[in-house]
Amino acid sequence: MLVGHCALLHITILADFQRKLNMAVRKRGKSWSARINWRDANGQLHQMEKGGFKTKVEAEQYSVEQQYLHTKGVDIESNPVFADYFHEWWTTFKKPHIRHETQKRYETNDKIIHQYLGDVKIKRIKRLNWQQFINDVCKTRSTTTVRLLNRQFRACVKNAVADGLITLDFTQGVNINGNDANTRKPVFLSYAEAQTLLRTAMDDRDPTVPSTYIIIAIILTGARVGEISALKWHNLDIKKHTIAIHHSYNSDIKELGPTKNTASYRTIRINTKLIDLLQEIKIDSKDGYIFQEAATGLPPANRTINSKLQVIMRHAKLDKKDFTIHSLRHVHVAILHHKSVDWMAISKRLGHQNLSMTLSVYAYYIDEDKRKSDKEIEKKLDDLFI
């Protein structure tokens, strides 16, 4: 009786769905096809047909599934190529509002998804397919790179869910384990080495060479090179001893852009010596940049700053492979850590989004603190027996 009741219920539901969508199944040769007709909110007629079903039951089941998706607000008619959908999504929603560096990352991922998934349509992609894709890109890319890649694609997939193209996020719960063998590790300096670098830069400074002053400013502020290069005189408050970091300068396209994230939009305190140093290079100009080359009135290119840094490193007799202008932020942290500045204060000063990000980057210093603490604990316990 129960089986008969379920069968009757199935027939009733199917008949109801067929009335709503005007569904029909028919045999075409050796296989079955399902045709679905419906009208949208404007009364426009739509039709969709799919064939290749082995049995009439399979065709009817497909029709019921489509009806269910339709009632859930899913666009059962549209099924774009995912790579094309990603391109349209990021160029429309992201490109007008992101930094040049972020745009280049989207462009790279755009090429990757076209290369790997080609003409695969979005409704064909399942979590298994996505995990296989991620496994493939993990073979030649670092874990961090793949995480950033998946984050961009996941935002796109969430948009597809909101658009009613699909019901589930197939990027959710993916396992990421990239190839970190060739990942460049951060280069840290000791406090003594940081002092040597700063003194050498001070000795090498020339008011006509803004690159050296940028290097000194990063050491004393921990700001990113783009943030320092973007500074204009109105960002400096001499009375309050602060600089307002509200932009980032891209030396490739010679334009100001937004900071890396909302946490990077900040105002930080600076010391008197840095204010005095900035006064040495003050030039009145149309654009008002603090650090500007005489010929252009614009900040120097990153490669120019980096070249100057390598000269200073040689003069300081500091042999550090892969030490770049970004490494100067680590120098600032080395100084503050040595002076026992709180990690939360350091995190805010660097413009990190949260403390955990700071602690993960500077785990080297955390481990160093733990080693010192362990020795102190050991000594204090031994003192009990004296």
Side-chain angles (χ1 to χ4, degrees):
M1 289 293 293
L2 181 60
V3 175
H5 177 72
C6 290
L8 179 62
L9 181 62
H10 171 75
I11 293 171
T12 303
I13 293 173
L14 177 60
D16 185 47
F17 281 179
Q18 287 175 330
R19 282 194 298 273
K20 289 179 179 178
L21 257 73
N22 188 21
M23 298 185 299
V25 296
R26 58 179 175 172
K27 193 169 186 179
R28 305 185 66 177
K30 294 183 178 181
S31 62
W32 289 81
S33 67
R35 188 183 71 238
I36 305 169
N37 300 313
W38 75 95
R39 292 187 182 274
D40 59 25
N42 299 319
Q44 184 177 353
L45 180 65
H46 296 262
Q47 185 179 86
M48 185 173 69
E49 185 168 359
K50 183 177 180 180
F53 298 103
K54 294 180 180 180
T55 65
K56 181 180 180 180
V57 173
E58 288 181 357
E60 289 176 342
Q61 184 178 0
Y62 171 78
S63 298
V64 172
E65 289 173 353
Q66 295 308 302
Q67 164 64 15
Y68 172 75
L69 293 174
H70 181 70
T71 57
K72 297 291 286 185
V74 175
D75 184 350
I76 61 175
E77 189 176 26
S78 298
N79 189 17
V81 170
F82 178 60
D84 294 341
Y85 181 81
F86 175 74
H87 176 81
E88 184 177 8
W89 169 76
W90 84 262
T91 53
T92 303
F93 287 92
K94 297 296 181 180
K95 190 174 182 178
H97 313 291
I98 56 179
R99 301 188 310 150
H100 182 69
E101 292 84 353
T102 308
Q103 180 179 320
K104 288 195 291 187
R105 192 177 298 127
Y106 273 104
E107 290 171 349
T108 298
N109 291 340
D110 199 327
K111 293 177 182 176
I112 290 172
I113 202 66
H114 275 90
Q115 175 188 347
Y116 278 85
L117 293 185
D119 296 331
V120 176
K121 294 189 175 182
I122 193 168
K123 289 178 180 174
R124 282 190 55 200
I125 304 175
K126 307 300 179 186
R127 290 185 65 240
L128 177 63
N129 307 129
W130 192 254
Q131 183 66 68
Q132 290 169 340
F133 161 68
I134 291 297
N135 291 347
D136 212 359
V137 296
C138 277
K139 293 176 183 177
T140 56
R141 295 167 178 84
S142 71
T143 303
T144 301
T145 298
V146 181
R147 281 204 183 106
L148 292 172
L149 172 146
N150 190 65
R151 187 183 303 167
Q152 288 188 352
F153 287 128
R154 189 174 186 188
C156 175
V157 171
K158 287 181 180 295
N159 193 80
V161 173
D163 279 348
L165 292 175
I166 54 178
T167 57
L168 298 175
D169 175 5
F170 53 75
T171 66
Q172 187 175 8
V174 67
N175 294 312
I176 298 173
N177 187 18
N179 183 353
D180 297 322
N182 297 320
T183 301
R184 182 178 292 179
K185 305 297 182 184
V187 181
F188 299 104
L189 298 185
S190 66
Y191 178 72
E193 290 172 329
Q195 279 187 308
T196 300
L197 178 60
L198 179 58
R199 287 170 182 160
T200 306
M202 291 287 290
D203 291 341
D204 282 9
R205 77 185 191 277
D206 178 344
T208 65
V209 183
S211 294
T212 307
Y213 286 82
I214 288 177
I215 291 167
I216 295 171
I218 297 175
I219 293 174
L220 295 177
T221 65
R224 301 173 179 89
V225 63
E227 295 171 341
I228 288 295
S229 297
L231 291 176
K232 295 190 177 186
W233 287 109
H234 67 260
N235 297 128
L236 172 65
D237 191 323
I238 295 176
K239 291 183 179 179
K240 294 182 178 179
H241 281 219
T242 62
I243 53 171
I245 299 174
H246 294 168
H247 294 91
S248 182
Y249 181 78
N250 187 299
S251 63
D252 292 333
I253 58 176
K254 297 181 173 59
E255 287 183 5
L256 284 178
T259 55
K260 187 173 183 179
N261 50 57
T262 53
S264 299
Y265 188 94
R266 64 202 188 278
T267 298
I268 63 173
R269 291 285 296 249
I270 59 174
N271 60 321
T272 303
K273 185 60 179 177
L274 178 56
I275 293 175
D276 294 340
L277 288 168
L278 297 182
Q279 297 297 324
E280 294 179 2
I281 58 173
K282 188 165 186 178
I283 300 174
D284 292 327
S285 65
K286 179 182 68 175
D287 293 314
Y289 286 106
I290 293 179
F291 306 97
Q292 57 176 283
E293 294 184 315
T296 63
L298 298 174
N302 286 359
R303 61 181 178 276
T304 303
I305 304 169
N306 206 42
S307 295
K308 184 60 181 175
L309 175 61
Q310 301 313 311
V311 172
I312 293 172
M313 291 289 288
R314 288 196 297 272
H315 290 173
K317 294 182 172 56
L318 294 172
D319 184 15
K320 297 287 182 179
K321 185 181 178 182
D322 296 329
F323 192 90
T324 66
I325 48 178
H326 184 74
S327 305
L328 294 172
R329 271 165 64 84
H330 305 326
V331 174
H332 184 69
V333 173
I335 295 170
L336 298 186
H337 176 257
H338 183 81
K339 297 296 184 179
S340 301
V341 175
D342 179 72
W343 278 110
M344 179 59 78
I346 294 175
S347 181
K348 295 288 186 183
R349 191 167 175 85
L350 293 176
H352 282 172
Q353 288 183 303
N354 50 61
L355 179 60
S356 62
M357 178 184 295
T358 308
L359 296 180
S360 65
V361 173
Y362 297 104
Y364 167 83
Y365 293 119
I366 306 299
D367 292 340
E368 186 179 76
D369 289 342
K370 183 179 181 301
R371 286 192 294 270
K372 290 180 180 178
S373 297
D374 287 344
K375 289 181 179 179
E376 289 178 7
I377 291 172
E378 183 180 346
K379 184 178 184 304
K380 290 181 186 298
L381 291 174
D382 283 339
D383 289 343
L384 289 171
F385 297 94
I386 296 176

